[in-house]
Amino acid sequence: ATDKMRVTEHILPSTATPSARLSVETELEGSAADRMRRRLKLEGPEALQRIYLDFYRKRYGDVDPETALSVDDDEEKDKLRISERYLMKNPWIGSATQKAVEVYADAIASELALPKTAKRRAPLAIAYPSDVEQRVELELPAGWHWLGQPQQRKLEDAAVTFEFDTRQTNRTVSVIQQLRTRQSVVGPEDYPKHFSLLRDANELFSRRLLVEIPARDAEYQRDKRLQDLMRNILDDKHGKSEQKND
Protein backbone atom coordinates (compact mmCIF):
# COMPACT_ATOMS: atom_id res chain seq x y z
CA ALA A 1 0.00 0.00 0.00
CA THR A 2 1.12 3.52 -0.72
CA ASP A 3 2.45 5.47 2.25
CA LYS A 4 0.15 8.55 2.26
CA MET A 5 0.31 11.80 4.20
CA ARG A 6 -1.77 14.97 3.78
CA VAL A 7 -0.94 18.00 5.93
CA THR A 8 -3.05 21.17 5.79
CA GLU A 9 -2.05 24.26 7.77
CA HIS A 10 -4.67 27.02 7.79
CA ILE A 11 -3.69 30.51 9.00
CA LEU A 12 -6.45 32.97 9.94
CA PRO A 13 -5.09 36.44 10.86
CA SER A 14 -6.82 38.78 13.30
CA THR A 15 -7.56 42.32 12.10
CA ALA A 16 -7.64 43.67 15.67
CA THR A 17 -4.30 42.31 16.92
CA PRO A 18 -1.07 40.94 15.35
CA SER A 19 -2.19 37.43 16.28
CA ALA A 20 -3.33 34.64 13.98
CA ARG A 21 -5.01 31.31 14.52
CA LEU A 22 -3.34 28.21 13.12
CA SER A 23 -5.21 24.96 12.52
CA VAL A 24 -3.34 21.86 11.38
CA GLU A 25 -4.96 18.73 9.96
CA THR A 26 -2.79 15.69 9.26
CA GLU A 27 -4.25 12.66 7.47
CA LEU A 28 -2.23 9.44 7.34
CA GLU A 29 -2.76 6.15 5.52
CA GLY A 30 -0.81 2.94 5.09
CA SER A 31 2.50 2.51 6.88
CA ALA A 32 2.50 6.23 7.78
CA ALA A 33 -0.65 5.65 9.86
CA ASP A 34 0.90 2.52 11.43
CA ARG A 35 4.02 4.43 12.45
CA MET A 36 1.92 7.17 14.03
CA ARG A 37 -0.18 4.59 15.93
CA ARG A 38 2.99 3.10 17.40
CA ARG A 39 4.30 6.55 18.30
CA LEU A 40 1.06 7.55 19.99
CA LYS A 41 1.04 4.31 21.96
CA LEU A 42 4.65 4.79 23.03
CA GLU A 43 4.69 8.55 23.74
CA GLY A 44 1.03 9.51 24.15
CA PRO A 45 -0.83 12.46 22.56
CA GLU A 46 0.26 14.92 25.28
CA ALA A 47 3.95 14.35 24.57
CA LEU A 48 3.33 14.55 20.83
CA GLN A 49 1.57 17.90 21.23
CA ARG A 50 4.52 19.26 23.24
CA ILE A 51 6.84 18.30 20.37
CA TYR A 52 4.57 19.93 17.78
CA LEU A 53 4.11 23.04 19.93
CA ASP A 54 7.87 23.40 20.30
CA PHE A 55 8.22 23.15 16.51
CA TYR A 56 5.76 26.02 15.93
CA ARG A 57 7.27 28.14 18.71
CA LYS A 58 10.67 27.86 17.07
CA ARG A 59 9.11 29.05 13.82
CA TYR A 60 6.64 31.68 15.05
CA GLY A 61 7.70 32.69 18.58
CA ASP A 62 4.91 33.02 21.13
CA VAL A 63 2.41 30.23 20.37
CA ASP A 64 -0.20 28.67 22.68
CA PRO A 65 -2.41 25.63 22.10
CA GLU A 66 -6.11 26.48 21.95
CA THR A 67 -7.27 22.87 22.25
CA ALA A 68 -5.70 19.55 23.09
CA LEU A 69 -4.37 17.53 20.18
CA SER A 70 -7.10 15.19 18.95
CA VAL A 71 -6.75 11.85 17.18
CA ASP A 72 -9.39 10.18 15.02
CA ASP A 73 -8.30 6.67 14.10
CA ASP A 74 -10.35 4.56 11.68
CA GLU A 75 -8.39 1.30 11.65
CA GLU A 76 -10.97 -0.43 9.45
CA LYS A 77 -10.32 2.08 6.65
CA ASP A 78 -6.66 2.42 7.70
CA LYS A 79 -6.95 6.19 8.10
CA LEU A 80 -5.67 8.29 11.00
CA ARG A 81 -6.35 12.00 11.44
CA ILE A 82 -4.61 14.39 13.84
CA SER A 83 -6.05 17.85 14.55
CA GLU A 84 -4.20 20.75 16.18
CA ARG A 85 -5.32 24.29 17.08
CA TYR A 86 -2.96 27.11 18.07
CA LEU A 87 -2.96 30.84 18.70
CA MET A 88 0.13 32.59 17.33
CA LYS A 89 0.59 35.89 19.18
CA ASN A 90 2.58 37.63 16.42
CA PRO A 91 3.90 35.44 13.59
CA TRP A 92 4.59 38.40 11.28
CA ILE A 93 7.76 40.06 10.07
CA GLY A 94 7.94 43.39 8.26
CA SER A 95 6.36 46.82 8.61
CA ALA A 96 2.96 47.91 9.92
CA THR A 97 1.21 47.93 6.53
CA GLN A 98 3.29 45.30 4.70
CA LYS A 99 4.12 42.15 6.59
CA ALA A 100 4.88 38.53 5.85
CA VAL A 101 4.49 35.12 7.40
CA GLU A 102 6.98 32.36 6.69
CA VAL A 103 5.73 28.89 5.84
CA TYR A 104 7.73 25.68 5.57
CA ALA A 105 6.91 22.27 4.08
CA ASP A 106 8.51 20.24 6.85
CA ALA A 107 6.71 16.99 5.96
CA ILE A 108 8.18 16.99 2.45
CA ALA A 109 11.53 18.46 3.51
CA SER A 110 12.14 15.43 5.73
CA GLU A 111 11.60 13.15 2.72
CA LEU A 112 13.83 15.17 0.36
CA ALA A 113 16.67 16.08 2.70
CA LEU A 114 19.79 17.11 0.82
CA PRO A 115 22.58 14.53 1.29
CA LYS A 116 25.94 15.65 2.60
CA THR A 117 27.76 14.75 -0.60
CA ALA A 118 27.00 15.44 -4.25
CA LYS A 119 28.71 12.21 -5.32
CA ARG A 120 28.28 8.64 -4.12
CA ARG A 121 29.14 5.12 -5.22
CA ALA A 122 26.38 3.28 -3.37
CA PRO A 123 22.65 3.46 -4.21
CA LEU A 124 20.52 5.99 -2.33
CA ALA A 125 17.43 4.56 -0.58
CA ILE A 126 14.06 6.22 -1.27
CA ALA A 127 10.85 5.81 0.74
CA TYR A 128 8.64 3.94 -1.74
CA PRO A 129 5.78 3.96 -2.52
CA SER A 130 5.10 7.34 -0.96
CA ASP A 131 2.63 10.18 -1.61
CA VAL A 132 3.04 13.27 0.57
CA GLU A 133 1.18 16.56 0.18
CA GLN A 134 1.62 19.65 2.34
CA ARG A 135 -0.72 22.59 1.90
CA VAL A 136 -0.53 25.98 3.64
CA GLU A 137 -3.57 28.25 3.39
CA LEU A 138 -3.48 31.91 4.40
CA GLU A 139 -7.00 33.32 4.67
CA LEU A 140 -6.96 37.04 3.88
CA PRO A 141 -9.34 39.28 5.87
CA ALA A 142 -11.35 41.87 3.95
CA GLY A 143 -9.09 44.62 2.60
CA TRP A 144 -5.88 42.56 2.85
CA HIS A 145 -3.96 41.89 -0.38
CA TRP A 146 -1.36 39.28 -1.26
CA LEU A 147 1.65 40.93 -2.89
CA GLY A 148 3.08 37.76 -4.40
CA GLN A 149 2.59 36.12 -7.78
CA PRO A 150 1.32 32.64 -8.72
CA GLN A 151 4.14 30.18 -9.27
CA GLN A 152 4.28 26.58 -10.45
CA ARG A 153 7.24 24.20 -10.63
CA LYS A 154 7.54 20.52 -11.45
CA LEU A 155 10.73 18.60 -10.77
CA GLU A 156 11.06 14.93 -11.63
CA ASP A 157 13.46 12.14 -12.41
CA ALA A 158 13.16 8.36 -12.52
CA ALA A 159 12.70 8.15 -8.73
CA VAL A 160 10.47 11.06 -7.68
CA THR A 161 8.07 13.74 -8.85
CA PHE A 162 7.89 16.97 -6.85
CA GLU A 163 5.30 19.64 -7.62
CA PHE A 164 5.09 23.17 -6.22
CA ASP A 165 2.12 25.51 -6.66
CA THR A 166 1.40 28.93 -5.15
CA ARG A 167 -1.91 30.58 -6.00
CA GLN A 168 -4.76 32.72 -4.71
CA THR A 169 -8.37 31.54 -4.87
CA ASN A 170 -10.90 34.09 -3.66
CA ARG A 171 -9.56 35.23 -0.25
CA THR A 172 -7.19 32.32 0.29
CA VAL A 173 -3.51 32.16 -0.68
CA SER A 174 -2.29 28.56 -0.95
CA VAL A 175 1.16 27.01 -1.11
CA ILE A 176 0.79 23.40 -2.22
CA GLN A 177 3.70 20.98 -2.40
CA GLN A 178 3.43 17.32 -3.34
CA LEU A 179 5.93 14.48 -3.50
CA ARG A 180 5.37 11.09 -5.17
CA THR A 181 8.04 8.39 -5.34
CA ARG A 182 8.29 5.80 -8.12
CA GLN A 183 11.16 3.57 -7.07
CA SER A 184 12.97 2.51 -3.91
CA VAL A 185 16.55 3.41 -4.84
CA VAL A 186 18.57 5.84 -6.94
CA GLY A 187 21.56 4.21 -8.58
CA PRO A 188 24.99 5.88 -8.60
CA GLU A 189 24.64 6.60 -12.32
CA ASP A 190 21.41 8.55 -11.70
CA TYR A 191 22.52 10.21 -8.49
CA PRO A 192 23.95 13.47 -9.96
CA LYS A 193 20.61 14.30 -11.61
CA HIS A 194 18.73 13.34 -8.45
CA PHE A 195 21.01 15.46 -6.29
CA SER A 196 20.34 18.44 -8.57
CA LEU A 197 16.59 17.86 -8.18
CA LEU A 198 16.94 17.74 -4.38
CA ARG A 199 18.89 20.99 -4.39
CA ASP A 200 16.21 22.75 -6.46
CA ALA A 201 13.40 21.33 -4.32
CA ASN A 202 15.04 22.43 -1.07
CA GLU A 203 15.00 26.02 -2.31
CA LEU A 204 11.19 25.86 -2.55
CA PHE A 205 10.31 24.39 0.86
CA SER A 206 10.46 27.72 2.70
CA ARG A 207 8.22 30.53 1.43
CA ARG A 208 7.44 34.02 2.69
CA LEU A 209 3.88 35.21 2.03
CA LEU A 210 3.88 39.02 1.86
CA VAL A 211 0.61 40.86 2.38
CA GLU A 212 -0.53 44.48 2.44
CA ILE A 213 -3.07 45.40 5.10
CA PRO A 214 -5.34 48.47 5.36
CA ALA A 215 -3.96 51.45 7.27
CA ARG A 216 -6.88 51.28 9.71
CA ASP A 217 -5.98 47.71 10.69
CA ALA A 218 -2.30 48.60 11.02
CA GLU A 219 -3.12 51.60 13.24
CA TYR A 220 -5.49 49.55 15.39
CA GLN A 221 -2.89 46.81 15.87
CA ARG A 222 -0.20 49.37 16.68
CA ASP A 223 -2.43 50.96 19.35
CA LYS A 224 -3.21 47.53 20.76
CA ARG A 225 0.50 46.69 21.06
CA LEU A 226 1.15 49.99 22.87
CA GLN A 227 -1.74 49.35 25.25
CA ASP A 228 -0.45 45.86 26.03
CA LEU A 229 3.06 47.24 26.56
CA MET A 230 1.82 49.91 28.98
CA ARG A 231 -0.28 47.34 30.81
CA ASN A 232 2.74 45.08 31.25
CA ILE A 233 4.84 47.98 32.54
CA LEU A 234 2.15 48.94 35.06
CA ASP A 235 1.76 45.31 36.14
CA ASP A 236 5.52 45.06 36.71
CA LYS A 237 5.56 48.25 38.76
CA HIS A 238 2.58 47.06 40.79
CA GLY A 239 4.28 43.73 41.45
CA LYS A 240 7.50 45.40 42.62
CA SER A 241 5.53 47.76 44.86
CA GLU A 242 3.79 44.84 46.55
CA GLN A 243 7.13 43.12 47.11
CA LYS A 244 8.53 46.23 48.84
CA ASN A 245 5.48 46.49 51.08
CA ASP A 246 5.59 42.82 52.15
Side-chain angles (χ1 to χ4, degrees), residues 8 46 56 64 74-75 80 84-85 108 134 148 184 193 197 213 220 223 232 246:
T8 302
E46 295 82 5
Y56 286 114
D64 290 326
D74 189 338
E75 293 192 48
L80 187 146
E84 309 161 66
R85 301 289 184 273
I108 293 181
Q134 186 152 6
S184 58
K193 180 180 179 181
L197 181 150
I213 70 174
Y220 191 94
D223 292 344
N232 291 335
D246 288 342

Side-chain angles (χ1 to χ4, degrees), residues 115-214:
K116 295 181 179 179
T117 175
K119 295 182 179 181
R120 61 184 295 135
R121 297 178 180 177
L124 175 70
I126 301 290
Y128 169 81
S130 181
D131 185 349
V132 182
E133 179 184 282
Q134 186 152 6
R135 176 188 298 259
V136 180
E137 299 172 341
L138 173 61
E139 185 175 338
L140 299 177
W144 291 39
H145 300 284
W146 177 44
L147 299 180
Q149 296 293 328
Q151 181 183 7
Q152 290 82 35
R153 290 284 303 277
K154 185 175 183 179
L155 309 173
E156 60 182 338
D157 60 12
V160 305
T161 296
F162 171 72
E163 294 183 84
F164 173 91
D165 185 6
T166 303
R167 67 172 88 120
Q168 179 173 350
T169 304
N170 298 322
R171 304 299 306 169
T172 301
V173 179
S174 302
V175 181
I176 307 163
Q177 303 190 48
Q178 185 171 22
L179 167 69
R180 294 185 298 274
T181 62
R182 293 197 293 272
Q183 61 188 45
S184 58
V185 296
V186 175
E189 67 280 3
D190 296 322
Y191 182 75
K193 180 180 179 181
H194 186 70
F195 185 86
S196 178
L197 181 150
L198 294 178
R199 187 174 56 231
D200 291 342
N202 273 258
E203 293 179 355
L204 295 170
F205 295 152
S206 180
R207 297 283 94 183
R208 182 174 291 184
L209 300 179
L210 179 65
V211 297
E212 183 177 53
I213 70 174

Side-chain angles (χ1 to χ4, degrees), residues 33-146:
D34 291 336
R35 288 194 299 271
M36 182 56 69
R37 291 186 185 103
R38 291 193 294 269
R39 186 176 181 184
L40 286 166
K41 186 176 182 179
L42 180 65
E43 302 178 21
E46 295 82 5
L48 191 63
Q49 182 168 43
R50 287 194 295 270
I51 294 171
Y52 290 167
L53 179 59
D54 184 59
F55 170 80
Y56 286 114
R57 282 175 172 167
K58 288 178 179 177
R59 191 198 296 183
Y60 296 122
D62 194 354
V63 179
D64 290 326
E66 289 199 309
T67 62
L69 180 146
S70 67
V71 179
D72 182 11
D73 189 1
D74 189 338
E75 293 192 48
E76 184 176 342
K77 295 183 179 179
D78 194 22
K79 292 183 178 181
L80 187 146
R81 183 185 185 96
I82 297 176
S83 301
E84 309 161 66
R85 301 289 184 273
Y86 303 100
L87 177 65
M88 305 183 292
K89 300 298 181 61
N90 187 1
W92 307 99
I93 54 177
S95 64
T97 57
Q98 288 189 4
K99 55 187 184 178
V101 61
E102 291 189 349
V103 299
Y104 182 66
D106 58 290
I108 293 181
S110 63
E111 299 289 335
L112 293 181
L114 196 63
K116 295 181 179 179
T117 175
K119 295 182 179 181
R120 61 184 295 135
R121 297 178 180 177
L124 175 70
I126 301 290
Y128 169 81
S130 181
D131 185 349
V132 182
E133 179 184 282
Q134 186 152 6
R135 176 188 298 259
V136 180
E137 299 172 341
L138 173 61
E139 185 175 338
L140 299 177
W144 291 39
H145 300 284
W146 177 44

